[in-house]
Amino acid sequence: MITVKSERFIDTGVSRGPERACLVAVEATNADSVWSVEDSLNELTALAHTAGAEVVGTLRQRLAHPDVATYLGKGRLQELSDLEKQLDCELIIFDDELSPTQQRNLDKALNARVIDRTALILDIFAQHARTREGILQVELAQMEYRLPRLSGQDVEFTRQAGGSRGASGGVGGAIGVRGPGETKLEIDRRRIRSRISELKEEIEDVRRQRAIHRRQREAQAMPVIAVVGYTNAGKSTLFNALTSAGVVAENMLFATLDPVTRNITLPNHQEILVTDTVGFIQKLPTKLIAAFRATLEEVVEADILLEVVDISHENAIEQNETVTEILEELEAADKPRITALNKVDLVDDPDDIDTSLYPNAAPVSALKKQGLDSLMETLARVIAENMVVMDVVIPYRKGDLVELFHRRGNIEKEEHLEDGVHIVGRIHRVLRGYFLPYSIAE
């Protein structure tokens, strides 16, 4: 995998060819998870296909928790070794993030290349990153993932040990190279740490630019809606249906990584901003969340969340719970939320959908553009509920304020009086000061 700078090479283990892969998972009996091992393996299969691998076999084991040394028990590890030879596996993908110790021990015990779910997701992200910001964030996550996994095996000395000055006064070792020397491992670690520092500085610059753009948007006093959801739930398709943005929308996991913001006008003529964000997934690596902090701040700073749920998926409820868990980790779970129950066209009987399980639910088909009017009305209602109430009489000479209330606010009542336009409605808190001089005293 070539990163943003061509001289740097990070090998996460997945090549661009259709490698033959075996998947491995432990069903941890002590774990409190809403996902079954079968569902998790099915998702890992989809991830492997997205990365370009061909899944030829799976192996699972029921344990209290994964073995701290080899992930699997001794007997199952031998079984996996036999399976990789039998199926001619080039790649073995583990469903959980492996510790550095587990990684090293598995590399010794198996002939095929060993990677875990985190490395697989990082590889997919690297394939799909398009913007400078996305490439930087993926590289940072890769570097932080790779650093503790550098192996000290077969390390060569890049500088030979020096000697002391000889009896005749000659120099046995040049200044600066005497001593035990520096190993390739030490050099690699130092270079990676240096690159991590560089990347964090560059991403911090991106973060500052994002903050500037957000302040500019806040000055416009337009409500910001962040589209969130499980990967491949149809977020980008819905975003395109609402905004005509032309964002890449494909039937694969993590088709888009980079946030895109567009403005739209609701049926009540109110203008809002809608931002498409990166999809979530179970067992999302913590380092990945940290690396994508600049992007995920769009979720944290949004006024309202529009969650897209693939209601046709057999794990729709589990996916919704995973999204909520990640939002809690981002401290954004308490934000007002609207749920677009997407892909209703794939459900046998849409009337059987229990909308009470989801906040402010609106059944839609983003692909066929069904139910969008109802979704827009729900958006308008929830936005209005989170704005300040104003009862004003605006003089006719202030027509610009009337027009501003129409574009930025939600009007519940409007009538033309002798001394001006009487408006009862809700407006963004930032704009409240413009209308206070014309407020009707209670």
Side-chain angles (χ1 to χ4, degrees):
M1 179 186 310
I2 302 299
T3 63
V4 66
K5 294 190 177 182
S6 59
E7 69 271 15
R8 295 189 176 91
F9 181 85
I10 299 178
D11 180 12
T12 58
V14 180
S15 72
R16 297 297 173 260
E19 293 182 279
R20 295 172 60 83
C22 289
L23 310 184
V24 183
V26 162
E27 183 178 5
T29 56
N30 288 348
D32 183 19
S33 175
V34 297
W35 291 83
S36 70
V37 67
E38 290 82 9
D39 292 334
S40 192
L41 277 171
N42 287 339
E43 183 174 87
L44 190 64
T45 299
L47 286 167
H49 288 161
T50 300
E54 176 190 1
V55 176
V56 296
T58 61
L59 185 144
R60 70 190 70 178
Q61 183 174 20
R62 187 179 177 87
L63 294 171
H65 52 76
D67 187 276
V68 294
T70 55
Y71 187 78
L72 296 171
K74 184 176 180 181
R76 277 302 173 93
L77 182 57
Q78 182 57 53
E79 185 179 336
L80 177 60
S81 178
D82 295 338
L83 185 66
E84 70 163 339
K85 297 171 185 174
Q86 177 186 344
L87 298 179
D88 192 25
C89 291
E90 305 167 83
L91 183 66
I92 298 179
I93 308 173
F94 288 79
D95 193 35
D96 295 287
E97 182 169 327
L98 299 172
S99 69
T101 298
Q102 289 172 330
Q103 180 84 47
R104 285 193 294 270
N105 291 335
L106 289 168
D107 284 337
K108 293 177 182 177
L110 301 168
N111 293 320
R113 190 181 311 109
V114 172
I115 67 169
D116 58 20
R117 174 184 273 255
T118 300
L120 184 61
I121 292 174
L122 287 174
D123 185 86
I124 295 170
F125 271 45
Q127 292 182 49
H128 295 168
R130 295 290 180 269
T131 66
R132 172 178 174 270
E133 177 185 358
I135 292 171
L136 288 173
Q137 291 176 132
V138 171
E139 186 181 356
L140 174 60
Q142 287 178 325
M143 290 287 187
E144 291 185 326
Y145 172 82
R146 182 186 179 190
L147 182 59
R149 289 168 174 79
L150 287 178
S151 174
Q153 299 175 0
D154 302 321
V155 172
E156 297 177 358
F157 284 88
T158 55
R159 293 192 301 191
Q160 296 299 320
S164 59
R165 291 181 180 270
S168 61
V171 179
I175 294 174
V177 299
R178 289 190 293 268
E182 186 176 20
T183 67
K184 182 178 184 299
L185 176 63
E186 291 167 342
I187 293 174
D188 286 345
R189 283 176 175 161
R190 179 162 47 81
R191 285 175 176 171
I192 288 180
R193 289 193 184 101
S194 175
R195 181 57 182 158
I196 286 174
S197 297
E198 292 175 7
L199 288 167
K200 286 182 175 179
E201 290 178 5
E202 293 185 62
I203 291 173
E204 189 60 30
D205 288 340
V206 171
R207 184 168 174 257
R208 283 192 286 267
Q209 288 297 319
R210 281 201 171 278
I212 292 172
H213 292 321
R214 275 197 297 270
R215 286 196 294 271
Q216 292 172 342
R217 294 201 301 257
E218 288 172 0
Q220 299 178 47
M222 295 172 67
V224 178
I225 316 299
V227 183
V228 300
Y230 210 81
T231 182
N232 209 33
K235 293 188 304 81
S236 296
T237 302
L238 180 61
F239 183 78
N240 288 336
L242 294 174
T243 67
S244 302
V247 171
V248 175
E250 299 180 31
N251 184 26
M252 65 170 59
L253 305 180
F254 301 115
T256 55
L257 296 181
D258 305 301
V260 179
T261 300
R262 295 289 186 272
N263 67 307
I264 65 173
T265 303
L266 297 175
N268 62 357
H269 307 295
Q270 181 183 9
E271 294 182 359
I272 65 173
L273 292 172
V274 183
T275 299
D276 188 18
T277 62
V278 63
F280 298 156
I281 196 169
Q282 64 144 339
K283 303 178 183 177
L284 190 66
T286 302
K287 285 185 174 60
L288 201 56
I289 295 177
F292 274 74
R293 183 181 56 145
T295 294
L296 293 174
E297 278 183 355
E298 296 293 334
V299 175
V300 176
E301 299 295 331
D303 297 301
I304 294 171
L305 304 179
L306 173 56
E307 181 185 354
V308 182
V309 174
D310 178 0
I311 200 61
S312 69
H313 199 287
E314 60 182 356
N315 297 119
I317 294 176
E318 289 85 353
Q319 291 181 356
N320 169 252
E321 292 185 11
T322 296
V323 170
T324 298
E325 289 172 2
I326 295 174
L327 290 174
E328 288 174 350
E329 188 172 345
L330 296 172
E331 298 183 350
D334 292 334
K335 288 183 178 291
R337 199 184 314 185
I338 299 162
T339 312
L341 303 179
N342 193 27
K343 306 185 185 181
V344 292
D345 53 307
L346 302 179
V347 176
D348 293 334
D349 189 355
D351 293 333
D352 288 341
I353 298 174
D354 187 357
T355 58
S356 66
L357 297 174
Y358 308 92
N360 299 304
V364 301
S365 171
L367 186 62
K368 297 190 175 181
K369 298 187 177 181
Q370 297 173 356
L372 298 186
D373 291 342
S374 176
L375 176 61
M376 297 278 266
E377 291 171 3
T378 303
L379 275 169
R381 174 177 59 79
V382 175
I383 290 171
E385 291 172 354
N386 290 274
M387 302 171 87
V388 295
V389 178
M390 300 293 294
D391 187 353
V392 296
V393 175
I394 303 174
Y396 288 112
R397 69 177 185 278
K398 292 290 186 178
D400 57 326
L401 288 182
V402 175
E403 191 265 344
L404 179 63
F405 210 121
H406 275 274
R407 288 190 295 109
R408 299 287 193 262
N410 187 293
I411 295 178
E412 299 168 7
K413 177 183 176 182
E414 181 177 4
E415 58 181 339
H416 290 75
L417 306 177
E418 184 177 343
D419 54 346
V421 182
H422 179 210
I423 295 177
V424 178
R426 297 170 183 264
I427 196 74
H428 198 289
R429 60 187 178 277
V430 174
L431 295 177
R432 184 171 179 268
Y434 288 99
F435 298 95
L436 274 179
Y438 311 104
S439 177
I440 298 176
E442 297 182 358

